[in-house]
Amino acid sequence: MMARRLLLVLQDQLLRDSNLLRGADAESDVVVMAELGAEHRRLPFHKRRIALILAAMRHFREDVRDSGLEVDYQHIDDDDRPQDLRSWLQHTIEKHEASEVRVLQPGDHRQQTAIEEACSEAAISLKTLKDGHFISSLDYFREWASGRKRLTLEYFYRQLRRDHDVLLHDDEPVGGDWNYDDQNRESFSSDGPGLLPAQPQFPIDTITEEVLATVEEHFPDHPGALDDFDLPVTPSQASETLTDFIANRLPSFGTYQDAMWMDEPFLYHSRLSASLNLHLLDPMDSVRSAENAYRNNAAPLNAVEGFIRQILGWREFVRGIYFYAGEEYGEHNALDAREDLPEFFWTAETEMICIRQTVSQIQQHAYAHHIQRLMVTGLFSLLYGADPAQFDDWHMAMYLDAWPWVSAPNTIGMSQYADGGLVATKPYIASGKYMNRMSNYCQHCPYDPDKATGDDACPFTTMYWDFLMRHEEELSDNRRMNFQLANLRRKDAQKQNAIRSQAETVRDRARRNSL
Ligand code: FAD
Ligand code: SF4
């Protein structure tokens, strides 16, 4: 048999026109892909997430076959074949008597190690190619980061805008400012958001139908629901989602970016992250579509700049951080947080309406928008002192869009401050009053967001003050914490002791799952 070159397509790299497939030789190359049981059982992954990945992979396989390339594809129910990446790759190398493996830069250190080990054991060469889906390369980030005392998103973002000529006029930011975040913090009036634009829906074809049945059969005990599955699973469907967002939601995206409302999981958010992270959608297309909307007077600058900053700025920045910070990043625990993540993160069974709403929505859609992740579930975990690695595992398991390169910097860094301030300049903390300002959750909750002590005290408010007391010393070096610490110091010793004791009760009740 002729020695083959294996083009390994990982499950989140479903890019049709990639450095890997461009110029592939139909005679000597074989594209290899696998649905690996061990990968999908490493954590209790949400059924919807598994279904989305498998459906997108199978549609990708068909496209590649149609282009004339051979695809060796392993299904999740091929039980007699290896189920973990390293063993499967070794087996596949032997099967094809491969001379070389090529892969796009994996977005997961663990997978990278498994691939390297399989190739080194088989004594064949491994070529890791640049993943051209991203706007900036890893070298670009490293060069930008080298020699800087602080890695601040804002400066990275400005450099990318200049280098790619995004929202510029005569080399300066359009409108005169780089950032319009101060216009992007509105909440809804008591009438709520009113009628929201309908969500795009995609009918289920036979490929996806088979996937849904397979997931129900093979992962019956995994969390989440598959009913009403309507997610984009191909590049053209992802592109339709983008078009729909630009036309119908982008104009209000900025203003209500941080707002939350009962029973409204999506509001004006784009829901593009899962498609982007599977590489079904090109990030620069999303950026240019938003920019065009501004230039055609179809969306205001605060919305367009805000959206572009998320994709061109944050998304590229966190990927750079993941590789820059190295393999141990996920183990950081700067605040020495050791509590187990409470059971209600999985069940939604809690009296706290903000958590109940957010977790129920995640159970249904495997989705929550940014401010729910940061200021509801993330905030609870941080104030409570949950182990950041457990929070990251929960996040990886429950969200459609979670992959290590993007989840870890957001959970360990931005949300839990476990990296000691590499991603965030200060811990994102607030009391229940923030939730009350930005949502109507508190109006439906038995707890009172204004109270830190007493039977109906809001657990967030109690734990907010307790957090400041527990970490006062390490936070007092941070200028940006001065205001919050000054407010703490205005509370007398008696009040502080009462909060400490109430926080102990909250933790005790959370441990017993009776909060
Ligand atoms: P929109 O609100 O419409 O934003 C537009 C796009 O900007 C998103 O689709 C996304 O691609 C990008 N984006 C915005 N913020 C970020 C960010 N901080 N990092 C990276 N990209 C960003 N995003 C993920 O894609 N995967 C994750 O695993 C993930 N984990 C997160 C964990 C926590 C604790 C927090 C606070 C944020 C996390 N984010 C993650 C970022 C962000 O919350 C999601 O990208 C966003 O909520 C996805 O919904 P959307 O597509 O409707 O986003
Ligand atoms: Fe959440 Fe506290 Fe508001 Fe209840 S009162 S919804 S627990 S912030």
Side-chain angles (χ1 to χ4, degrees), residues 107-219:
D108 177 356
H109 298 306
R110 196 181 49 82
Q111 285 196 331
Q112 166 124 29
T113 305
I115 296 166
E116 284 169 1
E117 286 176 356
C119 291
S120 112
E121 265 168 50
I124 64 166
S125 84
L126 168 66
K127 230 182 213 150
T128 305
L129 309 175
K130 184 179 147 200
D131 183 352
H133 160 86
F134 291 94
I135 296 168
S136 56
S137 69
L138 298 179
D139 286 342
Y140 180 95
F141 186 90
R142 249 179 249 119
E143 206 171 294
W144 172 81
S146 72
R148 282 177 194 261
K149 272 204 194 123
R150 273 213 67 87
L151 304 182
T152 308
L153 170 273
E154 188 63 32
Y155 299 116
F156 182 64
Y157 164 62
R158 288 181 192 182
Q159 182 171 314
L160 278 171
R161 264 181 66 185
R162 283 201 192 284
D163 287 353
H164 293 271
D165 192 10
V166 174
L167 276 186
L168 295 183
H169 179 72
D170 287 342
D171 278 345
E172 291 304 317
V174 290
D177 288 319
W178 289 100
N179 179 322
Y180 294 89
D181 236 7
D182 56 350
Q183 297 173 34
N184 289 354
R185 298 192 186 116
E186 287 291 311
S187 52
F188 299 111
S189 72
S190 57
D191 295 337
L195 192 62
L196 291 162
Q199 291 291 326
Q201 291 176 324
F202 300 97
I204 295 172
D205 63 9
T206 44
I207 294 182
T208 304
E209 200 174 307
E210 268 179 32
V211 164
L212 297 180
T214 302
V215 173
E216 284 296 9
E217 185 191 337
H218 288 265
F219 302 94

Side-chain angles (χ1 to χ4, degrees), residues 351-355 431-433 435-436 441-443 445-449 458-461:
E351 299 281 311
M352 293 180 287
I353 289 295
C354 52
I355 298 268
S431 73
K433 287 184 184 181
M435 212 88 74
N436 199 22
Y441 294 151
C442 305
Q443 291 165 31
C445 185
Y447 297 116
D448 182 342
C458 164
F460 281 83
T461 304

Side-chain angles (χ1 to χ4, degrees), residues 62 65 175 218 242 282 288 297 306 354 391 421 443 469 491:
E62 295 309 300
R65 281 187 180 149
H218 288 265
L242 173 65
D282 181 59
R288 292 292 179 212
N297 295 321
C354 52
F391 178 68
Q443 291 165 31
M469 286 188 274
K491 292 192 185 298

Side-chain angles (χ1 to χ4, degrees), residues 345 358-359 372-373 375-381 391 394 399:
F345 272 73
T358 306
V359 176
Q372 292 175 309
R373 301 186 200 205
M375 300 310 281
V376 181
T377 48
L379 178 60
F380 187 94
S381 174
F391 178 68
W394 169 79
Y399 284 86

Side-chain angles (χ1 to χ4, degrees), residues 253 269-273 276-277 307 310-311 314-315 318 367-370 373-374 391 395 401-403 406-407 410-411 414-415:
F253 169 84
H269 292 273
S270 68
R271 296 178 76 195
L272 291 173
S273 54
L276 282 165
N277 297 351
F307 177 73
Q310 307 305 325
I311 295 197
W314 278 111
R315 188 167 183 270
V318 297
Y367 173 91
H369 64 71
H370 186 69
R373 301 186 200 205
L374 190 63
F391 178 68
H395 195 281
D401 59 18
W403 299 95
V406 59
S407 182
N410 273 298
T411 55
M414 182 188 293
S415 165

